[in-house]
Amino acid sequence: MKKAIGIDLGGTSILGGLIDEDGMIIKRAETESRTAKGRKEVLKRISEIINALMEDGVIGITIGSPGFIDTKEGRVLKVGGNIKDWAGTPIKEELQKEFNDLPIFVENDANIAALCEHWKGAARDYDSFLMLTLGSGVGGAIYIENHGLLYGHSYQGAELGHLILYPNGRQCTCGQKGCVEQYVSGKAIEKMYEELTSISKSGKEIFNNIHVDEIAKGLIREFSRNLGIYLTSLKNAFDPEGIVIGGGVINSRNIWWDDMIDSYKEHVNDSEGMDIVPAHYLNDAGMIGAGKLVFDRLV
Ligand SMILES: [Zn+2]
């Protein structure tokens, strides 16, 4: 049976999976991404994970990466997400030096999550859908049947985390001000909490503390309301069959999901006709979707 290696590079961890043609994960490998150490270290860690998963039958490798990705060249464009020194990294070219006998593909991390959800997860019955990943940042993917993923004219489309929610608002890593990512990502919640309390806590701790911490409660309420407004804009722009929401923040959805839906219904002109659903695969989506991309291109 043919196999693929799927790598999901995140702000905290690098997850790797050996994937079969049914989308099963045969073998896993994981390491910290050490994004603060920059490009060289991150690339070294990716190749360690690939080596740990390599075996007979592997036909190709896909790296899912944050940032704006030129999928044709396999390189990061001028926005590299939350990884230091990542903008401009020629990922494919660098890895091809070591793994020169296998095809290597590079894809935006939200796009591979979308491929997974469409293949086997929450979006499998949708002809058109948007994928949002709420993690360290906010990733976006747009999928349309008979067309596939939407890349835009210069591989800078579907960057749904960089729609502006508050004009002249908080500074974003992309250079703009007021991007959605600065309000509804895990990192944004951590940053805002620290500004208000001078205490540094993980997003997970902040979400878990809403019953005992008024500041956390206020922030999460704002987060849910902002998400509802954001979904309203997305509905009006794309009118997809569904919006699938994944990423690490989704693990705490019992705390904020209902408020988000209330906010959406309150703001949107017509709340009928578009599903809003949580992702099915959570942490495994990137690896499985990365494997799927190998099979789509090569089989
Ligand atoms: Zn931005």
Side-chain angles (χ1 to χ4, degrees):
M1 185 181 241
K2 293 189 174 90
K3 287 168 263 183
I5 291 177
I7 305 288
D8 182 13
L9 168 61
T12 317
S13 312
I14 302 171
L15 305 177
L18 185 64
I19 313 295
D20 73 13
E21 284 179 277
D22 294 327
M24 300 303 290
I25 301 174
I26 307 165
K27 195 173 165 191
R28 293 166 182 270
E30 181 178 354
T31 185
E32 287 172 19
S33 27
R34 301 259 171 99
T35 52
K37 291 200 166 178
R39 180 188 296 193
K40 245 190 161 163
E41 176 72 16
V42 174
L43 284 169
K44 193 181 112 206
R45 288 176 163 259
I46 291 173
S47 70
E48 283 168 6
I49 291 285
I50 293 172
N51 277 313
L53 295 169
M54 191 59 76
E55 62 177 52
D56 287 347
V58 170
I59 59 166
I61 304 164
T62 296
I63 318 295
S65 165
F68 294 4
I69 307 294
D70 176 340
T71 50
K72 200 166 155 224
E73 301 292 331
R75 65 186 298 137
V76 187
L77 296 168
K78 63 185 175 188
V79 175
N82 291 304
I83 301 176
K84 189 187 158 202
D85 191 27
W86 199 238
T89 303
I91 303 176
K92 177 179 156 72
E93 188 187 311
E94 287 296 326
L95 292 173
Q96 207 82 68
K97 287 177 192 164
E98 189 177 348
F99 306 100
N100 56 6
D101 51 347
L102 280 175
I104 296 178
F105 306 102
V106 181
E107 183 57 81
N108 171 272
D109 54 359
N111 281 350
I112 53 171
L115 288 178
C116 171
E117 293 296 335
H118 189 246
W119 189 19
K120 300 183 69 85
R124 61 185 180 275
D125 297 328
Y126 295 147
D127 283 341
S128 63
F129 71 99
L130 306 185
M131 174 96 208
L132 301 176
T133 54
L134 310 180
S136 304
V138 175
I142 302 167
Y143 186 94
I144 303 160
E145 203 69 45
N146 302 325
H147 174 92
L149 293 165
L150 185 86
Y151 291 103
H153 169 63
S154 52
Y155 297 103
Q156 297 184 41
E159 285 295 342
L160 303 176
H162 301 286
L163 302 190
I164 291 177
L165 191 63
Y166 290 99
N168 300 313
R170 302 175 67 86
Q171 182 66 48
C172 185
T173 51
C174 77
Q176 296 178 172
K177 282 187 174 145
C179 292
V180 165
E181 178 165 290
Q182 298 307 315
Y183 298 89
V184 300
S185 65
K187 266 234 161 76
I189 298 284
E190 289 169 7
K191 222 191 267 177
M192 289 188 275
Y193 188 86
E194 192 169 353
E195 283 167 12
L196 290 169
T197 62
S198 303
I199 301 167
S200 162
K201 280 192 177 161
S202 74
K204 199 175 166 189
E205 282 176 286
I206 298 166
F207 278 94
N208 287 338
N209 275 355
I210 63 155
H211 299 300
V212 290
D213 181 339
E214 283 298 319
I215 305 269
K217 190 177 170 183
L219 279 174
I220 304 308
R221 185 167 161 71
E222 222 22 58
F223 163 90
S224 319
R225 297 201 61 75
N226 281 331
L227 265 177
I229 294 166
Y230 175 42
L231 292 171
T232 301
S233 294
L234 293 175
K235 159 101 167 21
N236 280 295
F238 301 103
D239 185 28
E241 254 190 293
I243 295 185
V244 179
I245 306 180
V249 178
I250 199 75
N251 290 319
S252 62
R253 73 174 181 277
N254 60 329
I255 296 168
W256 51 266
W257 188 273
D258 291 349
D259 278 349
M260 172 191 78
I261 299 292
D262 287 349
S263 166
Y264 169 67
K265 287 184 174 165
E266 193 182 307
H267 289 95
V268 75
N269 48 29
D270 178 8
S271 65
E272 299 296 316
M274 181 184 82
D275 293 346
I276 300 169
V277 294
H280 180 73
Y281 275 92
L282 305 178
N283 290 338
D284 291 344
M287 291 183 278
I288 297 171
K292 170 70 170 155
L293 189 130
V294 170
F295 299 127
D296 280 353
R297 299 280 172 89
L298 300 176
V299 179

